[in-house]
């Protein structure tokens, strides 16, 4: 049904999604073959989720993997800026969308690539947002992709639900920061993934500390780390603590993230795509 909210308890209709054994994954087109899908999520905004997504994708591409990024943060898209890519996608004779390529050949698709001006707001309601994600997935000619990273909006709302239900997500990476409040919100993201039967592959704590370039001292600007507590509580094996690194922040702002990948994420990417 077009107005379905995916809560079968609120509806007495025996729709196809229920009778066919649950909500069905959105099929791809014949020109696309994506072997692995990894979502990058956060409990709240401002923790560097898109930066982590961009660096993981860059690390995969640097290893020779055919890599793509689907920017599912529809109302706050920043992936094109991180890669310095602002070309508009175009269509083929079959009315399918050709994603834009970054400098190193990463395929990306984002709402910001469709706007006349990059600062134009995207003011859409939940059902439209979900429809855009499905269109990016099924109507884009992705080609043969080894790994796709899905940069999701913060929280546990409509778009993450659409991604979990409609895309064949192999697992997620959760990005957080050291504050206690953020850690509590991260647990919500972990619990949502588990409710949707999506494995949590790793937790990345961004802005975990700052290493003084003069004295070498470690300063915990945002407080003590809680990443070990979260990982132990939920049995998450891989954890990464990223320092505050001005050069990487500048690279993301300048659109040169492919040239500045955090070493810790290079190692994590290898584990994610073994």
């Amino acid at each position: 049904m077009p107005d379905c909210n995916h809560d079968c308890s609120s509806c007495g209709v025996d729709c196809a999604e229920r009778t066919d054994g649950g909500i069905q994954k959105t099929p791809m087109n014949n020109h696309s073959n994506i072997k692995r899908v990894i979502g990058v999520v956060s409990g709240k905004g401002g923790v560097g989720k898109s930066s982590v997504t961009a660096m993981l994708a860059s690390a995969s591409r640097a290893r020779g993997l055919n890599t793509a990024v689907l920017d599912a943060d529809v109302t706050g898209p920043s992936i094109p800026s991180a890669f310095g890519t602002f070309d508009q996608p175009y269509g083929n004779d079959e009315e399918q969308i050709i994603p834009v390529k970054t400098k190193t050949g990463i395929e990306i698709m984002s709402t910001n690539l469709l706007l006349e001006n990059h600062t134009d707001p995207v003011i859409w309601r939940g059902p439209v947002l979900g429809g855009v994600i499905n269109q990016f997935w099924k109507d884009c000619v992705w080609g043969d992709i080894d790994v796709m990273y899905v940069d999701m909006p913060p929280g546990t709302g409509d778009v993450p639900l659409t991604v979990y239900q409609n895309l064949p997500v192999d697992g997620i990476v959760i990005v957080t920061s050291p504050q206690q409040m953020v850690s509590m919100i991260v647990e919500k993201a972990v619990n949502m993934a588990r409710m949707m039967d999506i494995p949590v592959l790793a937790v990345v704590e961004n802005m975990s500390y700052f290493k003084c370039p003069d004295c070498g001292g470690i300063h915990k600007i945002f407080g003590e780390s809680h990443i070990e507590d979260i990982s132990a509580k939920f049995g998450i094996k891989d954890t990464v603590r990223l320092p505050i690194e001005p050069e990487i922040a500048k690279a993301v702002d300048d659109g040169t993230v492919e040239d500045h990948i955090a070493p810790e994420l290079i190692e994590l990417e290898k584990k994610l795509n073994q």
Side-chain angles (χ1 to χ4, degrees):
M1 297 176 63
D3 58 347
C4 178
N5 63 1
H6 304 304
D7 180 9
C8 294
S9 64
S10 66
C11 171
V13 179
D14 289 326
C15 60
E17 288 180 345
R18 296 179 67 187
T19 56
D20 289 348
I23 297 171
Q24 304 300 303
K25 301 298 182 183
T26 300
M28 302 210 75
N29 57 70
N30 294 330
H31 304 292
S32 302
N33 177 34
I34 299 176
K35 299 181 179 68
R36 186 164 175 78
V37 178
I38 298 176
V40 183
V41 308
S42 65
K44 66 182 294 294
V47 297
K49 169 185 54 62
S50 295
S51 299
V52 170
T53 303
M55 286 191 284
L56 284 173
S58 299
S60 291
R61 184 59 187 153
R63 281 207 305 130
L65 300 182
N66 293 331
T67 307
V69 178
L70 191 160
D71 190 356
D73 195 352
V74 177
T75 60
S78 54
I79 287 297
S81 296
F83 287 104
T85 302
F86 301 102
D87 296 333
Q88 287 195 325
Y90 59 93
N92 62 12
D93 294 338
E94 300 177 49
E95 297 185 351
Q96 295 169 323
I97 305 169
I98 309 299
V100 172
K101 285 191 177 184
T102 69
K103 180 179 67 175
T104 63
I106 299 171
E107 307 269 0
I108 66 171
M109 190 61 206
S110 170
T111 53
N112 237 31
L113 298 175
L114 304 175
L115 302 177
E116 183 176 353
N117 300 301
H118 298 146
T119 56
D120 288 345
V122 177
I123 308 174
W124 296 337
R125 294 189 182 275
V128 178
L129 298 176
V132 169
I133 300 305
N134 283 327
Q135 186 174 15
F136 283 176
W137 173 259
K138 69 183 180 66
D139 291 340
C140 284
V141 179
W142 293 106
D144 190 16
I145 297 296
D146 294 310
V147 56
M148 169 184 281
Y149 294 93
V150 181
D151 184 33
M152 291 203 275
T156 56
D158 286 338
V159 172
L161 183 61
T162 296
V163 172
Y164 289 155
Q165 290 182 328
N166 294 0
L167 273 59
V169 180
D170 294 286
I172 65 169
V173 174
I174 297 182
V175 183
T176 181
S177 60
Q179 300 99 315
Q180 179 66 45
M181 181 189 70
V182 175
S183 298
M184 178 271 293
I185 297 173
V186 165
E187 292 196 27
K188 293 180 181 291
V190 173
N191 286 327
M192 180 182 184
R194 295 204 163 185
M195 290 173 65
M196 304 300 297
D197 199 27
I198 305 292
V200 179
L201 305 176
V203 178
V204 175
E205 185 178 76
N206 199 20
M207 300 177 285
S208 185
Y209 60 91
F210 174 72
K211 185 174 182 179
C212 177
D214 297 323
C215 69
I218 300 296
H219 304 276
K220 299 176 181 178
I221 307 296
F222 295 106
E224 293 295 328
S225 171
H226 300 282
I227 190 171
E228 287 82 7
D229 297 334
I230 296 174
S231 301
K233 181 174 181 178
F234 293 100
I236 303 169
K237 294 182 179 180
D238 290 316
T239 59
V240 173
R241 297 176 63 201
L242 295 180
I244 298 173
E245 180 50 71
E247 286 299 319
I248 290 179
K250 185 177 185 300
V252 173
D253 289 341
D254 292 345
T256 60
V257 69
E258 290 165 291
D259 300 324
H260 298 81
I261 311 170
E264 298 88 348
L265 291 181
I266 293 176
E267 294 303 314
L268 176 61
E269 186 277 330
K270 294 177 182 177
K271 294 179 181 180
L272 295 176
N273 296 295
Q274 288 179 341

